[in-house]
Amino acid sequence: MPGVELVEEWDLEALTVKAIDILERGVVAVEPSMIKSWEEIMSEEVGLIYMLVEGM
């Protein structure tokens, strides 16, 4: 995923190396992914439930 760097948990040396690398490269603006609202999620879930009930 762009804009995210991963290191092993508690690996401070790797974290330091990544942080220095990011600072040297500069920050690149990344658009956040579209997050669905609770209403959209619930509508999809209710639709799935209706499809299951109708198929019984």
Side-chain angles (χ1 to χ4, degrees):
M1 177 185 320
V4 176
E5 296 285 343
L6 299 176
V7 296
E8 289 292 324
E9 190 173 10
W10 299 108
D11 188 349
L12 297 179
E13 185 176 345
L15 181 62
T16 304
V17 169
K18 287 285 185 179
I20 291 170
D21 183 46
I22 290 169
L23 291 172
E24 287 176 347
R25 284 187 318 206
V27 177
V28 176
V30 177
E31 286 291 323
S33 59
M34 183 70 165
I35 299 175
K36 294 180 181 180
S37 70
W38 280 111
E39 186 174 326
E40 292 171 314
I41 294 169
M42 292 309 299
S43 291
E44 289 178 12
E45 292 294 322
V46 169
L48 290 171
I49 292 169
Y50 277 132
M51 287 189 331
L52 287 172
V53 170
E54 289 175 350
M56 295 180 126

